[in-house]
Amino acid sequence: MAQKVVLRVLTMTDEKTKQKSIEAAADILGVDSIAADLKDQKLTVVGEMDAVAVAKKLKKVGKVEILSVGPAKEEKKEEKKEEKKEEKQEEKKEDKKPVEEEKK
């Protein structure tokens, strides 16, 4: 099962170090996707790999902290739930509009 690893690369302050971090993470076997946030100095790696191996590889770029390790599919479920809630709220708003027009 794929897992999501969120790391903070403390030396990732510019585009050059961001690119080095992405390339280092991409070298690891089993990585499916990589997302880098330069503002928060976070690197999110998704795939079937070892979190410690990712951190070890990124240590060559700079100081690394593992922030979280968890299943990758969990985030998608939360997004789907939020989308369903928004759709239900929109449906309720649409249902209320004709009633309000009838009252006038």
Side-chain angles (χ1 to χ4, degrees), residues 6-93:
V6 181
L7 305 117
R8 177 174 287 134
V9 184
L10 298 172
T11 56
M12 191 167 67
T13 55
D14 58 353
E15 287 295 322
K16 185 177 178 181
T17 53
K18 175 183 168 183
Q19 191 62 31
K20 283 184 179 182
S21 300
I22 291 171
E23 288 173 3
D27 284 343
I28 299 165
L29 185 66
V31 173
D32 293 332
S33 68
I34 304 167
D37 184 12
L38 197 58
K39 181 182 161 194
D40 296 332
Q41 295 179 326
K42 289 184 182 176
L43 190 73
T44 305
V45 184
V46 178
E48 294 187 20
M49 72 289 169
D50 184 29
V52 177
V54 176
K56 189 175 180 181
K57 187 79 171 182
L58 286 169
K59 274 189 175 183
K60 294 177 182 175
V61 177
K63 283 195 164 192
V64 178
E65 295 177 355
I66 298 176
L67 299 178
S68 68
V69 179
K73 293 182 183 179
E74 195 171 296
E75 182 177 310
K76 292 178 185 176
K77 288 180 186 175
E78 289 175 5
E79 288 175 6
K80 287 180 184 177
K81 286 180 185 177
E82 288 175 9
E83 288 173 9
K84 287 180 183 177
K85 286 180 184 177
E86 289 173 3
E87 288 175 7
K88 287 180 182 177
Q89 288 175 353
E90 289 173 7
E91 288 175 4
K92 287 180 182 178
K93 288 178 184 177

